[in-house]
Amino acid sequence: MDTDSVLRLVAEVPDHDGFPLVDDLHARFDALAAAHPEQVTVTRIGTSRLGEPLHSYRIGFGSHAAVIVGGVHPNEPIGSWTALHLATWAAEGGSAELDVTWHVVPTIDPDGMRLNEAWFHDPHDRVFYSRHFHRPAPDRQVEWTFPNAYKSVYFDQVLPETLAFMRLIDDTEPDLLVSLHNGEMGGVYYYLSEDLRDVIDTLHAVPAALGLPLDTGEPESPYLRELAPAVFAMDGIETAYEYLEGLGVDPGEHIHGASSAAWAMRHGALCMVAELPYWSHPDADDQTPTAESYADLLRRCADELGASGTELQAILDEASPMLTLETPFLEGSRAFIPMLTATPATDHARADREPADRMATVAERFGCEDLVRCFRLRYGGMLLRALEAETTAGTAPAPVRRLRDRLAERYATWQADAATGAEPIPIRKLVGVQFGAILACASHVAGASRASSPSLVTTSRPGGA
């Protein structure tokens, strides 16, 4: 399947007004299985922490196994539509030429996704989104709780959902793994486990055809290795560990579990993540130099983020002795808010190593400034939800209600600072990017298999069989 064929299929992706709720998503997959019993097989792979069955839908009978998993972060539901569109297309015979058996999990964390459902009907309003936002604490995220052992880091607190994911990978030994993620603001970027020019060309062509910018500003992590504009190598936690250690930062404070990709690469899988924003911004790929040095930009944004973290920590510390409900919002607040106060030290250490005369680009400035906005809105909103759980339940003493009101007032100023100039992106375009990226990778896997050169097969499977 060449790039033109991928683009034609991407153009056919239908639009949606919002995202499906968990029950609706599962009902749609079950209806698909009932409508195509000869093509679709449903297998239970595990159980969520709150007792919900987790299912994988096997579609087709190709010689290549592809595992596609949605909901790895439950605030990232673009993949819900992508998984359903891919499964429907495959069940109706669309993927025959790729010779793939698809193993699709609609959402691997239904418990966490339900805590985001309040904004699914209106995902275009950033203020509304952030006010009803939930993201699990790092050691409660399915994507980042795979077993890990490297130097001083050892992690084996595998979640039930992660165990189900691990079993699916081990049972299928996939040629391709795609965990369905998305970001929030800016442009499109990718992670790819191998430097594949044919795949990268298509990864660039799809957002271009849909009129979406690439995100060429500040990368998600400073140690990322760029394979091409907005395409980063999917290196393991070893890279992050060595980078942090080189800065004089204790890696054990920042690194815990490994990713699904690290587990799948043990089987030689090609792994890919397409990161999509809900909102685009013209500054996301503007390479014009600014009048501010990159080092000063890092310091300024680090100090702003740290100050916000200090404000939130003060409210959390004052409220904690009076809180009686151990909600996921409180658990997440206790994990993320200290991270906001700790990040500035790392960013200042980074800044001290940057040339003083290296000017930041507009894209880098936007990326750094919007990260501050993003984290304020996310984790301020989660702490508000934790306090409101107490006030709604009638268990909050008067001081907790006053803290809630104080935080709500401060949070309103952060909401007013949500990025101007941002435009919501039609959902069909976001699904189209993920769908096209999956097709590009599946096409490469099929093409590599057809090629008889042993060297080609070996170099495209870094982890070995």
Side-chain angles (χ1 to χ4, degrees), residues 368-419:
C368 287
E369 291 178 347
D370 199 66
L371 185 67
V372 176
R373 286 188 287 265
C374 170
F375 283 179
R376 283 172 174 169
L377 292 170
R378 279 184 172 191
Y379 305 125
M382 281 180 59
L383 181 55
L384 260 177
R385 294 187 77 177
L387 299 182
E388 286 175 345
E390 298 276 348
T391 58
T392 300
T395 60
V400 170
R401 294 198 301 272
R402 288 194 290 270
L403 287 170
R404 176 204 59 191
D405 294 343
R406 182 175 121 198
L407 177 55
E409 183 178 359
R410 183 63 173 130
Y411 191 71
T413 67
W414 292 339
Q415 288 179 314
D417 187 41

Short mmCIF file of all heavy atoms in Angstrom, two decimals, residues 368-419:
data_model
loop_
_atom_site.label_atom_id
_atom_site.label_comp_id
_atom_site.label_asym_id
_atom_site.label_seq_id
_atom_site.Cartn_x
_atom_site.Cartn_y
_atom_site.Cartn_z
N CYS A 368 7.07 25.63 25.19
CA CYS A 368 7.42 25.78 26.60
C CYS A 368 6.33 26.51 27.38
O CYS A 368 5.95 26.11 28.48
CB CYS A 368 8.74 26.53 26.73
SG CYS A 368 10.20 25.57 26.26
N GLU A 369 5.82 27.60 26.80
CA GLU A 369 4.78 28.36 27.49
C GLU A 369 3.49 27.57 27.62
O GLU A 369 2.80 27.64 28.65
CB GLU A 369 4.53 29.68 26.76
CG GLU A 369 5.69 30.67 26.87
CD GLU A 369 5.45 31.95 26.09
OE1 GLU A 369 4.50 31.98 25.27
OE2 GLU A 369 6.22 32.92 26.29
N ASP A 370 3.16 26.80 26.59
CA ASP A 370 1.90 26.06 26.66
C ASP A 370 2.00 24.86 27.60
O ASP A 370 0.99 24.41 28.13
CB ASP A 370 1.44 25.61 25.28
CG ASP A 370 -0.04 25.27 25.27
OD1 ASP A 370 -0.85 26.21 25.46
OD2 ASP A 370 -0.39 24.09 25.13
N LEU A 371 3.20 24.35 27.80
CA LEU A 371 3.35 23.28 28.79
C LEU A 371 2.98 23.79 30.18
O LEU A 371 2.35 23.08 30.97
CB LEU A 371 4.79 22.75 28.79
CG LEU A 371 5.02 21.54 29.69
CD1 LEU A 371 4.28 20.32 29.16
CD2 LEU A 371 6.51 21.25 29.82
N VAL A 372 3.37 25.02 30.48
CA VAL A 372 2.98 25.62 31.76
C VAL A 372 1.47 25.74 31.84
O VAL A 372 0.85 25.35 32.85
CB VAL A 372 3.64 27.00 31.93
CG1 VAL A 372 3.16 27.66 33.24
CG2 VAL A 372 5.16 26.88 31.93
N ARG A 373 0.84 26.24 30.78
CA ARG A 373 -0.62 26.35 30.76
C ARG A 373 -1.27 24.98 30.93
O ARG A 373 -2.23 24.80 31.69
CB ARG A 373 -1.09 27.00 29.46
CG ARG A 373 -0.84 28.50 29.36
CD ARG A 373 -1.51 29.09 28.14
NE ARG A 373 -0.83 28.74 26.91
CZ ARG A 373 0.08 29.51 26.31
NH1 ARG A 373 0.41 30.68 26.83
NH2 ARG A 373 0.66 29.12 25.20
N CYS A 374 -0.77 24.01 30.19
CA CYS A 374 -1.33 22.66 30.21
C CYS A 374 -1.29 22.07 31.61
O CYS A 374 -2.30 21.56 32.12
CB CYS A 374 -0.54 21.78 29.24
SG CYS A 374 -0.90 20.01 29.35
N PHE A 375 -0.15 22.13 32.28
CA PHE A 375 -0.01 21.50 33.59
C PHE A 375 -0.81 22.24 34.66
O PHE A 375 -1.35 21.62 35.57
CB PHE A 375 1.46 21.41 33.97
CG PHE A 375 2.21 20.31 33.26
CD1 PHE A 375 3.55 20.11 33.48
CD2 PHE A 375 1.55 19.47 32.36
CE1 PHE A 375 4.24 19.09 32.83
CE2 PHE A 375 2.23 18.45 31.71
CZ PHE A 375 3.57 18.26 31.95
N ARG A 376 -0.87 23.56 34.56
CA ARG A 376 -1.72 24.30 35.50
C ARG A 376 -3.18 23.86 35.37
O ARG A 376 -3.86 23.60 36.37
CB ARG A 376 -1.65 25.80 35.20
CG ARG A 376 -0.41 26.52 35.67
CD ARG A 376 -0.45 27.94 35.11
NE ARG A 376 0.63 28.76 35.61
CZ ARG A 376 0.94 29.96 35.12
NH1 ARG A 376 0.23 30.45 34.12
NH2 ARG A 376 1.94 30.65 35.64
N LEU A 377 -3.64 23.81 34.13
CA LEU A 377 -5.03 23.46 33.89
C LEU A 377 -5.33 22.02 34.26
O LEU A 377 -6.35 21.71 34.89
CB LEU A 377 -5.39 23.72 32.43
CG LEU A 377 -5.40 25.18 31.99
CD1 LEU A 377 -5.52 25.30 30.47
CD2 LEU A 377 -6.55 25.93 32.65
N ARG A 378 -4.44 21.12 33.88
CA ARG A 378 -4.65 19.70 34.18
C ARG A 378 -4.72 19.45 35.69
O ARG A 378 -5.70 18.93 36.22
CB ARG A 378 -3.50 18.86 33.62
CG ARG A 378 -3.58 18.52 32.16
CD ARG A 378 -2.42 17.60 31.83
NE ARG A 378 -2.51 17.07 30.47
CZ ARG A 378 -1.75 16.09 30.02
NH1 ARG A 378 -0.84 15.54 30.83
NH2 ARG A 378 -1.87 15.64 28.79
N TYR A 379 -3.64 19.81 36.37
CA TYR A 379 -3.48 19.35 37.74
C TYR A 379 -4.15 20.28 38.75
O TYR A 379 -4.52 19.84 39.84
CB TYR A 379 -1.99 19.10 38.02
CG TYR A 379 -1.44 18.14 36.99
CD1 TYR A 379 -0.33 18.45 36.21
CD2 TYR A 379 -2.10 16.93 36.74
CE1 TYR A 379 0.13 17.56 35.24
CE2 TYR A 379 -1.65 16.05 35.77
CZ TYR A 379 -0.53 16.38 35.02
OH TYR A 379 -0.09 15.51 34.05
N GLY A 380 -4.35 21.53 38.37
CA GLY A 380 -5.22 22.37 39.16
C GLY A 380 -6.65 21.87 39.10
O GLY A 380 -7.37 21.82 40.11
N GLY A 381 -7.09 21.43 37.90
CA GLY A 381 -8.43 20.89 37.75
C GLY A 381 -8.61 19.59 38.52
O GLY A 381 -9.67 19.34 39.11
N MET A 382 -7.58 18.74 38.53
CA MET A 382 -7.69 17.48 39.27
C MET A 382 -7.77 17.72 40.77
O MET A 382 -8.54 17.05 41.48
CB MET A 382 -6.50 16.57 38.94
CG MET A 382 -6.63 15.86 37.62
SD MET A 382 -5.24 14.78 37.24
CE MET A 382 -5.27 13.66 38.62
N LEU A 383 -6.99 18.68 41.28
CA LEU A 383 -7.07 18.98 42.71
C LEU A 383 -8.44 19.56 43.05
O LEU A 383 -9.02 19.22 44.10
CB LEU A 383 -5.96 19.95 43.11
CG LEU A 383 -5.91 20.32 44.60
CD1 LEU A 383 -5.82 19.07 45.48
CD2 LEU A 383 -4.74 21.26 44.88
N LEU A 384 -8.99 20.38 42.18
CA LEU A 384 -10.34 20.87 42.40
C LEU A 384 -11.34 19.73 42.47
O LEU A 384 -12.25 19.72 43.31
CB LEU A 384 -10.73 21.84 41.28
CG LEU A 384 -10.64 23.34 41.58
CD1 LEU A 384 -11.00 24.14 40.33
CD2 LEU A 384 -11.55 23.72 42.73
N ARG A 385 -11.21 18.75 41.59
CA ARG A 385 -12.10 17.60 41.60
C ARG A 385 -11.96 16.81 42.91
O ARG A 385 -12.95 16.28 43.45
CB ARG A 385 -11.85 16.69 40.40
CG ARG A 385 -12.19 17.33 39.07
CD ARG A 385 -12.08 16.34 37.92
NE ARG A 385 -13.23 15.44 37.88
CZ ARG A 385 -13.40 14.51 36.94
NH1 ARG A 385 -12.51 14.36 35.96
NH2 ARG A 385 -14.47 13.72 36.97
N ALA A 386 -10.74 16.74 43.44
CA ALA A 386 -10.53 16.03 44.70
C ALA A 386 -11.24 16.76 45.84
O ALA A 386 -11.88 16.12 46.70
CB ALA A 386 -9.04 15.92 44.99
N LEU A 387 -11.13 18.08 45.87
CA LEU A 387 -11.79 18.85 46.93
C LEU A 387 -13.30 18.82 46.76
O LEU A 387 -14.05 18.73 47.75
CB LEU A 387 -11.28 20.29 46.93
CG LEU A 387 -9.77 20.49 47.17
CD1 LEU A 387 -9.43 21.96 47.18
CD2 LEU A 387 -9.33 19.82 48.47
N GLU A 388 -13.77 18.87 45.54
CA GLU A 388 -15.21 18.84 45.28
C GLU A 388 -15.82 17.48 45.63
O GLU A 388 -17.01 17.41 45.98
CB GLU A 388 -15.49 19.19 43.82
CG GLU A 388 -15.30 20.67 43.52
CD GLU A 388 -15.45 20.99 42.04
OE1 GLU A 388 -15.41 20.05 41.23
OE2 GLU A 388 -15.61 22.18 41.72
N ALA A 389 -15.04 16.42 45.52
CA ALA A 389 -15.55 15.11 45.91
C ALA A 389 -15.95 15.13 47.39
O ALA A 389 -16.96 14.55 47.78
CB ALA A 389 -14.50 14.03 45.67
N GLU A 390 -15.17 15.83 48.20
CA GLU A 390 -15.48 15.95 49.63
C GLU A 390 -16.69 16.85 49.85
O GLU A 390 -17.59 16.51 50.65
CB GLU A 390 -14.27 16.52 50.38
CG GLU A 390 -13.03 15.66 50.31
CD GLU A 390 -13.00 14.56 51.36
OE1 GLU A 390 -13.83 14.59 52.29
OE2 GLU A 390 -12.14 13.66 51.26
N THR A 391 -16.73 17.99 49.17
CA THR A 391 -17.84 18.91 49.40
C THR A 391 -19.15 18.33 48.87
O THR A 391 -20.21 18.50 49.49
CB THR A 391 -17.56 20.28 48.75
OG1 THR A 391 -17.34 20.11 47.34
CG2 THR A 391 -16.33 20.93 49.37
N THR A 392 -19.09 17.63 47.75
CA THR A 392 -20.30 17.02 47.19
C THR A 392 -20.81 15.89 48.08
O THR A 392 -22.03 15.72 48.25
CB THR A 392 -20.02 16.47 45.78
OG1 THR A 392 -19.60 17.55 44.94
CG2 THR A 392 -21.27 15.84 45.18
N ALA A 393 -19.89 15.13 48.67
CA ALA A 393 -20.28 14.01 49.54
C ALA A 393 -20.76 14.49 50.91
O ALA A 393 -21.30 13.70 51.69
CB ALA A 393 -19.12 13.04 49.71
N GLY A 394 -20.54 15.77 51.21
CA GLY A 394 -20.95 16.28 52.51
C GLY A 394 -20.00 15.95 53.63
O GLY A 394 -20.36 16.02 54.81
N THR A 395 -18.75 15.58 53.30
CA THR A 395 -17.76 15.22 54.32
C THR A 395 -16.75 16.32 54.58
O THR A 395 -15.87 16.16 55.42
CB THR A 395 -17.00 13.94 53.89
OG1 THR A 395 -16.34 14.20 52.65
CG2 THR A 395 -17.96 12.77 53.74
N ALA A 396 -16.85 17.45 53.84
CA ALA A 396 -15.84 18.49 53.93
C ALA A 396 -16.14 19.47 55.06
O ALA A 396 -17.21 20.09 55.09
CB ALA A 396 -15.77 19.25 52.61
N PRO A 397 -15.20 19.64 55.98
CA PRO A 397 -15.37 20.71 56.98
C PRO A 397 -15.21 22.08 56.32
O PRO A 397 -14.74 22.19 55.18
CB PRO A 397 -14.25 20.43 57.99
CG PRO A 397 -13.23 19.67 57.22
CD PRO A 397 -13.97 18.87 56.20
N ALA A 398 -15.60 23.10 57.05
CA ALA A 398 -15.60 24.46 56.49
C ALA A 398 -14.24 24.87 55.90
O ALA A 398 -14.20 25.49 54.83
CB ALA A 398 -16.06 25.46 57.55
N PRO A 399 -13.10 24.54 56.52
CA PRO A 399 -11.82 24.95 55.93
C PRO A 399 -11.58 24.34 54.54
O PRO A 399 -10.97 24.98 53.68
CB PRO A 399 -10.78 24.45 56.94
CG PRO A 399 -11.51 24.41 58.24
CD PRO A 399 -12.91 23.98 57.89
N VAL A 400 -12.06 23.13 54.32
CA VAL A 400 -11.90 22.52 53.00
C VAL A 400 -12.73 23.27 51.97
O VAL A 400 -12.30 23.49 50.83
CB VAL A 400 -12.26 21.03 53.04
CG1 VAL A 400 -12.34 20.45 51.62
CG2 VAL A 400 -11.24 20.26 53.86
N ARG A 401 -13.93 23.67 52.34
CA ARG A 401 -14.76 24.44 51.41
C ARG A 401 -14.09 25.77 51.06
O ARG A 401 -14.13 26.21 49.91
CB ARG A 401 -16.15 24.68 52.01
CG ARG A 401 -16.97 23.41 52.18
CD ARG A 401 -18.46 23.71 52.36
NE ARG A 401 -18.69 24.57 53.52
CZ ARG A 401 -18.87 24.12 54.77
NH1 ARG A 401 -18.82 22.81 55.01
NH2 ARG A 401 -19.09 24.96 55.76
N ARG A 402 -13.45 26.39 52.05
CA ARG A 402 -12.75 27.65 51.77
C ARG A 402 -11.54 27.42 50.86
O ARG A 402 -11.25 28.24 49.97
CB ARG A 402 -12.32 28.31 53.08
CG ARG A 402 -13.50 28.89 53.88
CD ARG A 402 -13.03 29.81 54.98
NE ARG A 402 -12.37 29.09 56.06
CZ ARG A 402 -13.01 28.60 57.13
NH1 ARG A 402 -14.33 28.75 57.25
NH2 ARG A 402 -12.34 27.98 58.08
N LEU A 403 -10.84 26.32 51.06
CA LEU A 403 -9.72 25.99 50.17
C LEU A 403 -10.20 25.72 48.75
O LEU A 403 -9.56 26.13 47.78
CB LEU A 403 -8.96 24.77 50.70
CG LEU A 403 -8.10 25.00 51.94
CD1 LEU A 403 -7.61 23.68 52.51
CD2 LEU A 403 -6.91 25.92 51.61
N ARG A 404 -11.32 25.03 48.65
CA ARG A 404 -11.91 24.81 47.32
C ARG A 404 -12.21 26.14 46.64
O ARG A 404 -11.88 26.33 45.45
CB ARG A 404 -13.19 24.00 47.45
CG ARG A 404 -13.94 23.78 46.13
CD ARG A 404 -15.41 23.50 46.36
NE ARG A 404 -16.06 24.61 47.07
CZ ARG A 404 -17.28 24.55 47.59
NH1 ARG A 404 -17.99 23.44 47.50
NH2 ARG A 404 -17.79 25.60 48.21
N ASP A 405 -12.81 27.08 47.35
CA ASP A 405 -13.15 28.37 46.76
C ASP A 405 -11.89 29.15 46.39
O ASP A 405 -11.85 29.81 45.34
CB ASP A 405 -14.00 29.18 47.73
CG ASP A 405 -15.37 28.56 47.97
OD1 ASP A 405 -15.77 27.70 47.17
OD2 ASP A 405 -16.02 28.91 48.98
N ARG A 406 -10.87 29.05 47.22
CA ARG A 406 -9.61 29.75 46.93
C ARG A 406 -8.96 29.19 45.67
O ARG A 406 -8.50 29.94 44.80
CB ARG A 406 -8.66 29.59 48.12
CG ARG A 406 -7.33 30.30 47.97
CD ARG A 406 -6.54 30.18 49.28
NE ARG A 406 -5.27 29.52 49.08
CZ ARG A 406 -4.56 28.97 50.07
NH1 ARG A 406 -5.04 28.97 51.31
NH2 ARG A 406 -3.40 28.42 49.82
N LEU A 407 -8.95 27.88 45.55
CA LEU A 407 -8.38 27.26 44.36
C LEU A 407 -9.21 27.57 43.13
O LEU A 407 -8.66 27.85 42.05
CB LEU A 407 -8.26 25.74 44.55
CG LEU A 407 -7.74 24.94 43.36
CD1 LEU A 407 -6.38 25.46 42.89
CD2 LEU A 407 -7.65 23.46 43.71
N ALA A 408 -10.53 27.54 43.26
CA ALA A 408 -11.40 27.83 42.12
C ALA A 408 -11.15 29.24 41.60
O ALA A 408 -11.13 29.48 40.37
CB ALA A 408 -12.86 27.66 42.51
N GLU A 409 -10.92 30.19 42.49
CA GLU A 409 -10.64 31.56 42.08
C GLU A 409 -9.32 31.65 41.33
O GLU A 409 -9.21 32.31 40.30
CB GLU A 409 -10.63 32.48 43.31
CG GLU A 409 -10.42 33.95 42.98
CD GLU A 409 -10.47 34.83 44.21
OE1 GLU A 409 -10.69 34.30 45.33
OE2 GLU A 409 -10.28 36.06 44.07
N ARG A 410 -8.31 31.00 41.86
CA ARG A 410 -6.99 31.01 41.19
C ARG A 410 -7.06 30.27 39.87
O ARG A 410 -6.50 30.70 38.86
CB ARG A 410 -5.95 30.35 42.10
CG ARG A 410 -4.53 30.37 41.53
CD ARG A 410 -4.07 31.79 41.38
NE ARG A 410 -2.66 31.87 41.00
CZ ARG A 410 -2.22 32.59 39.98
NH1 ARG A 410 -3.07 33.30 39.23
NH2 ARG A 410 -0.94 32.64 39.71
N TYR A 411 -7.79 29.16 39.87
CA TYR A 411 -7.91 28.36 38.65
C TYR A 411 -8.59 29.15 37.54
O TYR A 411 -8.24 29.00 36.37
CB TYR A 411 -8.70 27.08 38.96
CG TYR A 411 -8.68 26.05 37.87
CD1 TYR A 411 -7.51 25.34 37.58
CD2 TYR A 411 -9.81 25.76 37.12
CE1 TYR A 411 -7.48 24.37 36.59
CE2 TYR A 411 -9.80 24.80 36.13
CZ TYR A 411 -8.63 24.11 35.87
OH TYR A 411 -8.61 23.16 34.87
N ALA A 412 -9.52 29.99 37.89
CA ALA A 412 -10.20 30.80 36.88
C ALA A 412 -9.23 31.72 36.15
O ALA A 412 -9.38 31.95 34.94
CB ALA A 412 -11.31 31.62 37.53
N THR A 413 -8.20 32.22 36.85
CA THR A 413 -7.21 33.06 36.17
C THR A 413 -6.37 32.23 35.20
O THR A 413 -5.98 32.72 34.15
CB THR A 413 -6.29 33.76 37.18
OG1 THR A 413 -5.48 32.80 37.87
CG2 THR A 413 -7.11 34.55 38.19
N TRP A 414 -6.10 30.97 35.55
CA TRP A 414 -5.36 30.11 34.64
C TRP A 414 -6.20 29.74 33.42
O TRP A 414 -5.69 29.66 32.30
CB TRP A 414 -4.91 28.84 35.36
CG TRP A 414 -3.88 29.10 36.42
CD1 TRP A 414 -3.06 30.18 36.53
CD2 TRP A 414 -3.55 28.25 37.52
NE1 TRP A 414 -2.24 30.07 37.63
CE2 TRP A 414 -2.51 28.89 38.26
CE3 TRP A 414 -4.01 27.02 37.96
CZ2 TRP A 414 -1.94 28.32 39.41
CZ3 TRP A 414 -3.45 26.45 39.10
CH2 TRP A 414 -2.43 27.10 39.81
N GLN A 415 -7.48 29.54 33.64
CA GLN A 415 -8.37 29.25 32.51
C GLN A 415 -8.43 30.43 31.54
O GLN A 415 -8.46 30.24 30.33
CB GLN A 415 -9.77 28.92 33.02
CG GLN A 415 -9.87 27.56 33.70
CD GLN A 415 -11.27 27.28 34.20
OE1 GLN A 415 -11.89 28.15 34.83
NE2 GLN A 415 -11.78 26.10 33.94
N ALA A 416 -8.41 31.64 32.08
CA ALA A 416 -8.45 32.82 31.23
C ALA A 416 -7.19 32.95 30.39
O ALA A 416 -7.18 33.62 29.35
CB ALA A 416 -8.64 34.07 32.08
N ASP A 417 -6.12 32.28 30.83
CA ASP A 417 -4.84 32.33 30.12
C ASP A 417 -4.67 31.18 29.13
O ASP A 417 -3.60 30.99 28.58
CB ASP A 417 -3.70 32.31 31.14
CG ASP A 417 -2.33 32.54 30.50
OD1 ASP A 417 -2.25 33.40 29.60
OD2 ASP A 417 -1.37 31.85 30.89
N ALA A 418 -5.73 30.38 28.93
CA ALA A 418 -5.65 29.32 27.92
C ALA A 418 -5.26 29.95 26.59
O ALA A 418 -5.71 31.03 26.24
CB ALA A 418 -6.99 28.60 27.80
N ALA A 419 -4.42 29.29 25.83
CA ALA A 419 -3.77 29.88 24.66
C ALA A 419 -4.76 30.53 23.69
O ALA A 419 -5.74 29.91 23.28
CB ALA A 419 -2.96 28.82 23.92
#
